[in-house]
């Protein structure tokens, strides 16, 4: 763990193993921290806050830019580490490192533009000045599916704003977190400003982070269930809260869209990270007129995907995170099949050619999916593309909105009018319009409804770490 600028063991001396999900091999051991370690990390972050928050934004930006450079220099090593620890194919891991680095540069620049306002008063002899100041010590909890970019999306704005932080990464991916912390430390972030607590059991750490009065803000990315629990605890402590949670993205293919083009987009998007993405489409609404062409092309594309160890050149789909994830996917597919879904490709665990040592499920297409099936409502987080046929274009947005999630949605259409109407009516925070990658460090990322509170990235990403202070100034 990294506390107060030093790499240390857990106070208990305990450790836990990190597993390669493609091979089941142990690839490292890390300290298994507990409540006392979390408290020590908060104490270090609290002690470092005064100096870091009064360091100039220019100096903080310089340090962040050094971190950006280091991350780019080490991109290949980081990507390889990510493949062995998390499983996504090397090309996707390399892309993620670039995306992660983008947040560092973006927030280094945004931090330099932090300004206040000179505001009018109703009284002629009074003026107001408002400034935005760092919120204090930030507690960050991150998921395993994007084990580098989900850290920089929080660390970069927190540091640019002048906050200090304690971060707990997912238990499946502590080595990527360690590599990110090494970069920030080497770039010159002073001791105590960033602290890393690794743990096999997240609960005691979460309890400390959300109840300590020295923590000003909780930022969490992960499942809706855990986010709700942590947000409630943090809320009781009156911490500021932002939570980036699960999704169940609709992908609407209108009858005027080229169905084959849309199917190619769906195939590229759905199987990224083996479907383990919060913005992964989970309901593909295809108009009846386009259904045959769409399903044929989707099935063809999915049949051509090679599943295996992400280190191998031709592999496009890696393993799932663990055996529970495979069981969840299998249960959703079996449920859909038993309720009448077609399975033109996939539909089984993969165990041949050594894949039984890892956690693999075949890229799968489900057809004739209906609302009674579990997959229609619950986040799958696996390589399954459920196709739902619809007839009425005036109703499809309503169908798409019929979920408690609200993170991402996708629309394929050739009509500007249809695209804009759908954009305005869909209750989701991120809409791809004929576009399967509607994300960037430069734009806000986040969800409505049970997909979260707050936004990361863009201008808003910095605001999450700031609070406003006002001075009323009398001229009398
Ligand atoms: P998860 O909720 O199981 O875990 C996320 C983090 O919370 C991990 O660090 C974990 O150790 C920690 N955690 C779990 N239980 C805890 C507890 N009781 N107290 C404190 N910490 C606890 O989620 P996951 O499986 O790691 O990630 C997958 C989920 O994350 C999916 O639902 C996905 O949609 C979501 N996600 C959302 C976004 C987004 O930006 N909206 C991005 C990536 C992933």
């Amino acid at each position: 763990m990294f506390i107060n600028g030093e790499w240390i063991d857990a106070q208990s001396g305990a450790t836990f193993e990190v597993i390669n999900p493609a091979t089941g091999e142990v690839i490292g051991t890390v300290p298994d921290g507990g409540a006392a370690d979390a408290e020590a990390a908060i104490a270090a972050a609290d002690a470092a806050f005064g100096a870091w928050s009064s360091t100039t934004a220019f100096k903080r930006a310089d340090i962040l830019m050094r971190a950006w450079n280091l991350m780019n220099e080490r991109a290949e090593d980081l990507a390889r580490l990510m493949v062995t620890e998390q499983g996504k194919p090397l090309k996707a891991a390399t892309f993620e490192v670039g995306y992660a680095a983008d947040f560092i540069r973006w927030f280094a620049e945004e931090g330099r533009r932090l300004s206040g306002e000179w505001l009018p008063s109703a009284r002629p002899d009074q003026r107001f000045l408002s400034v935005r100041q760092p919120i204090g010590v930030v507690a960050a909890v991150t998921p395993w599916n994007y084990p580098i970019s989900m850290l920089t999306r929080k660390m970069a704005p927190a540091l640019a704003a002048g906050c200090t932080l304690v971060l707990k990464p997912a238990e499946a991916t502590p080595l990527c977190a360690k590599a990110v912390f090494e970069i920030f430390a080497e770039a010159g972030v002073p001791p105590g400003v960033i602290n890393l607590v690794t743990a096999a059991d997240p609960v005691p750490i979460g309890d400390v982070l959300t109840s300590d009065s020295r923590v000003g803000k909780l930022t969490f990315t992960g499942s809706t269930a855990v986010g709700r629990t942590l947000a409630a605890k943090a809320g009781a402590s009156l911490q500021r809260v932002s939570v980036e949670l699960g999704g169940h993205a609709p992908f609407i293919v209108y009858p005027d869209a080229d169905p084959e083009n849309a199917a190619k987009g769906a195939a590229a998007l759905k199987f990224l990270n083996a479907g383990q993405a919060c913005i992964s489409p989970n309901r593909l609404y295809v108009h009846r007129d386009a259904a045959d062409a769409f399903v044929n092309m989707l099935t063809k594309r999915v049949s051509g995907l090679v599943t295996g160890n992400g280190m191998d050149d031709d592999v496009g789909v890696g393993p799932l995170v663990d055996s529970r994830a495979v069981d969840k996917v299998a249960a959703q597919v079996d449920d859909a099949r038993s309720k009448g879904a077609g399975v033109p490709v996939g539909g089984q665990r993969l165990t041949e050619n050594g894949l039984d040592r890892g956690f693999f499920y075949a890229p799968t297409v489900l057809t004739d999916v209906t609302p009674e099936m579990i997959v229609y409502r619950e986040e799958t987080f696996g390589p399954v593309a459920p196709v739902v046929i619809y007839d009425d274009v005036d109703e499809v947005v309503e169908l798409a909105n019929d979920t408690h999630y609200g993170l991402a949605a996708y629309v394929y259409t050739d009509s500007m009018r249809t695209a804009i109407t759908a954009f305005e009516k869909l209750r989701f925070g991120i809409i791809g319009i004929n576009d399967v990658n509607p994300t960037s460090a430069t734009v806000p990322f986040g969800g409505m409804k049970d997909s979260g509170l707050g936004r990361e990235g863009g201008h808003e990403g910095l605001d999450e770490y700031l609070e406003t202070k006002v001075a009323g100034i009398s001229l009398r």
Side-chain angles (χ1 to χ4, degrees), residues 396-470:
V396 68
V397 167
E398 214 176 298
L399 294 175
N401 281 340
D402 179 23
T403 167
H404 57 94
Y405 288 115
L407 188 57
Y410 304 86
V411 173
Y412 267 72
T413 175
D414 273 355
S415 154
M416 177 87 92
R417 186 155 167 256
T418 304
I420 291 174
T421 307
F423 173 70
E424 289 179 353
K425 295 233 158 93
L426 284 164
R427 295 270 299 136
F428 296 82
I430 302 161
I431 317 285
I433 300 175
N434 300 323
D435 187 1
V436 292
N437 185 16
T439 61
S440 160
T442 61
V443 295
F445 186 109
M448 300 177 179
K449 303 196 269 184
D450 288 358
S451 288
L453 301 170
R455 294 292 180 268
E456 294 190 314
H459 307 305
E460 286 94 329
L462 194 60
D463 294 342
E464 299 281 346
Y465 297 90
L466 296 165
E467 56 191 351
T468 302
K469 182 189 276 181
V470 163

Side-chain angles (χ1 to χ4, degrees), residues 140-146 150 153-154 168-173 199-207 209-210 220-227 229-230 233 243-248 276-280 321 324 328 379 381 405 407 430 445-447 451-452 456:
V141 179
T142 54
W144 49 266
N145 63 337
Y146 286 86
M150 293 301 98
R153 201 164 80 174
K154 298 185 189 305
K168 195 210 75 63
E171 44 279 27
T173 54
D201 178 4
V203 177
I205 315 287
D207 284 346
L209 295 179
T210 52
F220 170 86
T221 299
S223 62
T224 295
V226 175
T229 304
L230 289 186
K233 287 184 187 168
V243 286
E244 298 279 353
L245 308 176
H248 201 274
Q276 302 171 114
C278 49
I279 59 170
S280 192
V321 62
R324 271 190 315 150
K328 181 181 176 195
E379 191 178 34
F381 238 54
Y405 288 115
L407 188 57
I430 302 161
F445 186 109
S451 288
E456 294 190 314

Side-chain angles (χ1 to χ4, degrees), residues 19-27 84 309 319 354-360:
I19 307 286
N20 180 336
T23 63
E25 283 161 358
V26 175
I27 55 168
T84 50
N309 188 326
L355 295 190
D356 57 329
R357 290 185 290 134
F359 313 115
F360 291 94

